[in-house]
Amino acid sequence: MRRPVLAALLALGLAAPAGAQSLSAEIGAAGLAPVEARLAALPEPTAEELFALAGVRFLLGVEGALQLRWQTGVRSDWSELPLLRLPIPENPNARAFQPADILTLLTGVQTRMDSAREALARLDGQEVALEIRMADLWFDINGNGARDPGEEVGAVTGMTLAGAGRGGMVAVPDPVIRFDTADQHWLTAYTHFLSAFVTLALAYDPAPAVERVLGSAVAMKELWGDTPPPNALDMIFGRQVDRAAMLLHGLAQEPDPDLTRAARQHLLGMIRENRRFWAGVEAETDNDREWIPNDRQTSGLGLRMPPGTGARWQAVLADAEAVLEGRLLVPHWRYGAEAGINLQRLFDEPVPVDRVTGVQGEGLRSFAEKGPRASLESWRDFENLVRGDAALFAVMFN
């Protein structure tokens, strides 16, 4: 699985008043921004309209990132990062990417995730029942207000809406999903997931590192003159090496502890809401075009889940929660079999990351302690159950 927000983009159902699909058709015709403006102006929105507002705001966070990428020509080969790996149409007149653009992208996503959670909080546990035709979802990537080729959700995610070609899915022609009350917790969890990533990135202020690497890359290319390079190494590896340099330079800066602590809280919030989602799913007795089904249901997207998948995934999250709370330690090859790194302390008392001393062990020694260590046993159990589709399900479940 190559795209961490793939499932989020496919899963977000946008409410249609009175069980019809008029809102779905409205999005298909007008796009996300006009629908968000109309829903936000409603004086007394229904539960369905509030969920729709949250879903549109989430998708607008993704759309804003895609639009900035299109404007600056950032390609989809940033396979290490959410939102930057999604394929988008090429802009032949793209402007140069500037260091400030990375902050614009990150803060834009953060603002949309905050506003989506605000709408979800107003639901306050109300029951919802929503339908969406997945083919109606699209992103205005080039910002022209029209739906152009390559802007459909299926094209952006690199996966057909029918789900064909994935081991854990079967083809469903023109899928329609009916989202219910439990799914508001799934959506809240996903906003926390993206907020955690953005907040952690902002904690290390990536702009100076981006400026340093972009400037040095331009200066080095000026040395080429008119003579073609003697090999293709820069063409093959240059962009990846530059991205690695940006990451390492950024991590070497003094981090903002308030932001690293907030990132940890977002991760814990993701786990908490995910747990509430699975509890709601397990309690369901209907079987109507489900997004993520329990063992007695089927998926409207053609998702095939072995019995017990939800329980195995919850075991994975339980281990992750224990690591984030310092109850389980992260193993390090230099600290032996009885000690590890307390990740909670690393989030609460962050330090610049030195790749040399981090690998060697000295740089993280102050966070090491004796105690029970995390293992990959629950993840292996999950992998064994879903048989090769662990990454797909992990992205969908967040």
Side-chain angles (χ1 to χ4, degrees), residues 127 180-182 185 275-287 290 292-297:
E127 292 189 4
D180 50 36
T181 305
H185 300 299
R275 188 172 288 129
R276 296 177 69 183
F277 164 70
W278 281 105
V281 168
E282 183 57 32
E284 292 177 1
T285 57
D286 65 333
N287 186 15
E290 306 294 334
I292 296 177
N294 62 33
D295 290 351
R296 303 172 302 279
Q297 298 172 321

Side-chain angles (χ1 to χ4, degrees), residues 319-344:
D319 282 353
E321 184 179 53
V323 168
L324 288 167
E325 293 180 343
R327 294 183 281 111
L328 287 178
L329 306 176
V330 178
H332 189 288
W333 72 283
R334 294 303 296 270
Y335 301 156
E338 299 180 5
I341 300 166
N342 187 318
L343 197 63
Q344 177 180 2

Side-chain angles (χ1 to χ4, degrees), residues 24-38:
S24 180
E26 180 185 0
I27 294 167
L32 297 168
V35 175
E36 193 274 342
R38 183 180 69 79

